Amino acid sequence: MSENKKILINGYAHVSFQPEKSFTASEMFERSETYYNWLNSRRSIRMFSDKPVSKSVIENLIRTASTAPSGAHKQPWTFCAISNPEMKSKIRAAAEEEEKESYNHRMSERWKKDLEPLGTDMHKPFLETAPWLIVAFKKVYELDEEGVKHNNYYVNESVGIACGFLISAIHNAGLVTLTHTPSPMNFLTSLLGRPAYEKPFILFPVGYAAEEVFVPDIQRKALEGISCFFE
Ligand code: IYR
């Protein structure tokens, strides 16, 4: 079978790969539009239900995130999933402490003005209500068991893409999330016992939306505002 064909490139094994089958022009248009409409139906949610979500679902979401491309295929990420109520409470307390400082002292007036339409503040009840928190850590470098340092590349780009995959996987599962970035969020490295070379990147509360949810009445930019074409 052609799928099993193997060759060496630069002395390294390469296997033949069959990309997704090609579609007719109209099928392709249809699929691209359907996918756009489906992702466009996603919203960042701050109001969560406490309804449980099974660990096996969370495992699949993390597996999906880790299919993202990454610099030199280093996969420079760790996704920590937390359902333990005591740990969630500790994370909420530490996050709110930082957020209080940020909203009161660190954030500029202009920044706070920009956030006004989103209705955010220093209170983060969703960190306890959501059944799961997933913290994406970026590995700026890695140490192996012998303490030897290994470099990672394009870490922000790689982890950003993986987080995008995670968000779409959460949406696909019928769950909701929010990209929460308490700042600074180094407390997550120590609370979760991660090595110092792992830096918290984004904290995602994951779960069902609350029974009644309100989201900011905001619009996405039109294509003209986000693209330019050279034909
Ligand atoms: N980290 C704060 C502030 C915040 C910042 C941005 I940029 C947002 O889009 C939303 C919130 C918080 O989580 O409230």
Side-chain angles (χ1 to χ4, degrees), residues 46 99 103 107 111 115 118 120-121 124 180-183:
R46 292 182 169 76
E99 292 292 67
Y103 276 89
M107 290 156 71
W111 188 356
L115 287 181
L118 305 183
T120 67
D121 61 28
K124 306 297 174 189
H180 179 43
T181 50
S183 174

Side-chain angles (χ1 to χ4, degrees), residues 43-46 115-120 214-219:
R43 292 297 307 257
S44 291
I45 299 295
R46 292 182 169 76
L115 287 181
E116 263 174 23
L118 305 183
T120 67
F214 293 91
V215 294
D217 189 11
I218 49 178
Q219 308 302 321

Side-chain angles (χ1 to χ4, degrees), residues 101-171:
E101 195 56 27
S102 290
Y103 276 89
N104 287 340
H105 303 296
R106 297 184 192 127
M107 290 156 71
S108 65
E109 288 310 310
R110 183 186 288 195
W111 188 356
K112 282 191 275 190
K113 194 98 198 124
D114 277 340
L115 287 181
E116 263 174 23
L118 305 183
T120 67
D121 61 28
M122 64 187 76
H123 304 291
K124 306 297 174 189
F126 52 77
L127 293 175
E128 285 183 299
T129 319
W132 288 94
L133 306 179
I134 299 181
V135 183
F137 286 90
K138 64 174 185 185
K139 296 181 174 184
V140 284
Y141 61 90
E142 289 182 56
L143 295 178
D144 64 22
E145 279 108 66
E146 277 93 54
V148 179
K149 189 175 170 183
H150 297 268
N151 289 337
N152 288 329
Y153 311 94
Y154 296 100
V155 170
N156 288 319
E157 292 83 347
S158 302
V159 183
I161 297 167
C163 287
F165 278 31
L166 179 69
I167 293 168
S168 72
I170 292 168
H171 184 52

Side-chain angles (χ1 to χ4, degrees), residues 2-229:
S2 64
E3 278 137 67
N4 294 332
K5 231 161 93 183
K6 284 189 182 177
I7 59 165
L8 292 181
I9 299 179
N10 287 341
Y12 289 92
H14 283 61
V15 290
S16 67
F17 174 73
Q18 207 57 54
E20 273 269 295
K21 75 177 177 78
S22 57
F23 301 105
T24 65
S26 68
E27 279 172 339
M28 188 186 288
F29 178 75
E30 182 71 27
R31 288 173 67 96
S32 66
E33 189 146 271
T34 301
Y35 192 67
Y36 159 59
N37 284 327
W38 171 73
L39 264 187
N40 194 29
S41 69
R42 183 204 60 82
R43 292 297 307 257
S44 291
I45 299 295
R46 292 182 169 76
M47 300 168 180
F48 284 77
S49 154
D50 61 2
K51 189 175 165 184
V53 170
S54 80
K55 182 180 176 186
S56 53
V57 169
I58 300 298
E59 287 172 340
N60 276 340
L61 300 180
I62 294 172
R63 283 191 184 101
T64 306
S66 200
T67 65
S70 61
H73 189 54
K74 294 291 183 180
Q75 298 183 262
W77 47 65
T78 299
F79 292 92
C80 262
I82 303 115
S83 64
N84 179 284
E86 287 81 41
M87 182 58 84
K88 286 197 295 179
S89 298
K90 282 186 195 167
I91 291 175
R92 178 182 178 183
E96 287 185 335
E97 200 173 306
E98 291 295 0
E99 292 292 67
K100 191 173 170 192
E101 195 56 27
S102 290
Y103 276 89
N104 287 340
H105 303 296
R106 297 184 192 127
M107 290 156 71
S108 65
E109 288 310 310
R110 183 186 288 195
W111 188 356
K112 282 191 275 190
K113 194 98 198 124
D114 277 340
L115 287 181
E116 263 174 23
L118 305 183
T120 67
D121 61 28
M122 64 187 76
H123 304 291
K124 306 297 174 189
F126 52 77
L127 293 175
E128 285 183 299
T129 319
W132 288 94
L133 306 179
I134 299 181
V135 183
F137 286 90
K138 64 174 185 185
K139 296 181 174 184
V140 284
Y141 61 90
E142 289 182 56
L143 295 178
D144 64 22
E145 279 108 66
E146 277 93 54
V148 179
K149 189 175 170 183
H150 297 268
N151 289 337
N152 288 329
Y153 311 94
Y154 296 100
V155 170
N156 288 319
E157 292 83 347
S158 302
V159 183
I161 297 167
C163 287
F165 278 31
L166 179 69
I167 293 168
S168 72
I170 292 168
H171 184 52
N172 178 59
L175 299 170
V176 298
T177 190
L178 171 71
T179 48
H180 179 43
T181 50
S183 174
M185 45 182 176
N186 294 337
F187 66 87
L188 289 166
T189 303
S190 46
L191 263 184
L192 297 169
R194 302 310 305 169
Y197 57 83
E198 289 192 12
K199 305 286 179 211
F201 192 72
I202 297 178
L203 194 171
F204 298 93
V206 181
Y208 292 89
E211 195 117 309
E212 188 174 44
V213 166
F214 293 91
V215 294
D217 189 11
I218 49 178
Q219 308 302 321
R220 295 195 163 99
K221 289 177 180 173
L223 186 62
E224 297 70 42
I226 56 161
S227 60
C228 63
F229 288 83

